[in-house]
Amino acid sequence: MRRRFGVPGPRGPRGPRGPRGSLGPVGLLLAGGVSVQFGGALAVTLMPRAGALGVVTLRLFAAAVVLALVCRPSLRGHSRADWGTVVVFGLTMAAMNGLFYQSVARIPLGLAVTLEVLGPLTLSVLASRRAVNLVWAGLALAGVVLLGGGGFSSLDPAGVAFALAAGAMWAAYIIFSARTGRRFPQADGLALAMVVAAVAFLPLGIAEAGTKLLNPTTVALGSAVAILSSVLPYTLELLALRRLPASTFAVLMSLEPAIAATAGFLVLGQAMSALQALAIALVVAASMGAVRTQTGPGTAKPAEPVA
């Protein structure tokens, strides 16, 4: 019998106590962030072979195959509302990936993620029920703006627009990932949503890349991108969202520009300026504040799943 990860069991008088209760999901989010950004850097190097849409197609299909084989999700026993949630989640993932890769094809990785993260930050402000989370969101937003270094106006307008649209989809992804995690056991909902995303995106990938999608080297690199950018981070984030509220998750995602800038430097040779380093420090401080708020005295209790 499969177990539902992250769903609290019966609580006795000692029930989830102390700050360690939420450190697990925080670690999952950080590991997922590192994986997805280094996967994104690898994807940029693959774009000359298959184009942005072709890379997204390979990424989604490889991830769908891996997750379907590993999770072997059941197609029975789910309500119409369950299927509606997983379909919307899949379409959201497809849109988020397609828009983001169109952005990084036009502007640097670190700046694309900086613009994209405005979506989750906006969600954090709108969804938060604690006034202190507004402070952390504001500090993170200041870091995001500073990370741009005043250079956003000189960027490709289409690249900026794609990044902002990807940010809106990222906010929707947070919401529907949490809902999917509550409706399906383990990562079954994620596996089904990834299949939906892959099938929905296939026509766009074929239109741009055609037979290039069948090249063995391209397929191998695309599969590596899928593992780093989809399978690992999406699974870790889905599990984490069962134990953290969406607003805290969104603020923690403000670490993504810092991780992306590091990945861009190490993989793509995109150096960081002193101003960008200062921005990273602000973002890290905001994320640490969000973690402390979540795990400090009196706040260790994880978010309850909604039926």
Side-chain angles (χ1 to χ4, degrees):
M1 181 176 178
R2 287 182 289 185
R3 174 175 175 269
R4 288 183 179 269
F5 290 98
V7 178
R11 289 188 187 133
R14 298 184 182 179
R17 349 0 122 192
R20 295 185 182 179
S22 293
L23 290 180
V26 169
L28 293 177
L29 290 182
L30 294 178
V34 171
S35 180
V36 74
Q37 296 308 330
F38 276 85
L42 177 61
V44 172
T45 67
L46 181 58
M47 285 181 186
R49 287 178 171 270
L53 299 181
V55 171
V56 175
T57 301
L58 289 171
R59 167 180 167 173
L60 293 176
F61 256 90
V65 170
V66 171
L67 286 173
L69 291 175
V70 171
C71 300
R72 291 181 294 177
S74 173
L75 300 180
R76 298 181 179 180
H78 304 300
S79 68
R80 181 177 297 181
D82 293 340
W83 284 113
T85 298
V86 84
V87 167
V88 174
F89 184 32
L91 295 177
T92 298
M93 281 197 292
M96 179 179 68
N97 281 283
L99 291 165
F100 178 71
Y101 279 89
Q102 285 291 335
S103 176
V104 297
R106 294 168 169 82
I107 62 178
L109 177 64
L111 294 183
V113 176
T114 297
L115 290 167
E116 186 191 27
V117 82
L118 293 176
L121 283 171
T122 301
L123 175 64
S124 176
V125 171
L126 296 176
S128 175
R129 296 180 181 179
R130 295 172 59 89
V132 69
N133 279 341
L134 299 178
V135 176
W136 303 131
L139 185 59
L141 180 59
V144 166
V145 173
L146 190 59
L147 190 61
F152 291 137
S153 61
S154 63
L155 298 176
D156 184 306
V160 171
F162 281 127
L164 292 174
M169 290 298 100
W170 192 355
Y173 160 80
I174 293 171
I175 295 171
F176 284 99
S177 178
R179 292 180 182 177
T180 299
R182 290 190 292 263
R183 289 180 176 273
F184 290 83
Q186 300 189 51
D188 285 14
L190 173 63
L192 293 171
M194 193 67 74
V195 172
V196 171
V199 172
F201 211 88
L202 180 60
L204 296 177
I206 292 177
E208 179 174 87
T211 57
K212 294 178 182 177
L213 296 175
L214 302 178
N215 180 277
T217 301
T218 302
V219 170
L221 291 173
S223 298
V225 171
I227 296 297
L228 289 172
S229 295
S230 295
V231 177
L232 286 177
Y234 289 166
T235 301
L236 295 174
E237 290 170 7
L238 186 146
L239 296 176
L241 271 166
R242 290 173 174 168
R243 290 178 281 171
L244 285 177
S247 57
T248 301
F249 175 92
V251 176
L252 285 171
M253 288 297 96
S254 63
L255 273 173
E256 297 289 350
I259 300 172
T262 302
F265 173 71
L266 295 177
V267 179
L268 305 173
Q270 298 172 347
M272 294 181 292
S273 67
L275 192 62
Q276 290 172 329
L278 176 58
I280 289 172
L282 288 176
V283 173
V284 169
S287 298
M288 290 178 63
V291 173
R292 184 169 181 81
T293 298
Q294 179 68 15
T295 62
T299 61
K301 183 178 178 180
E304 292 285 354
V306 177

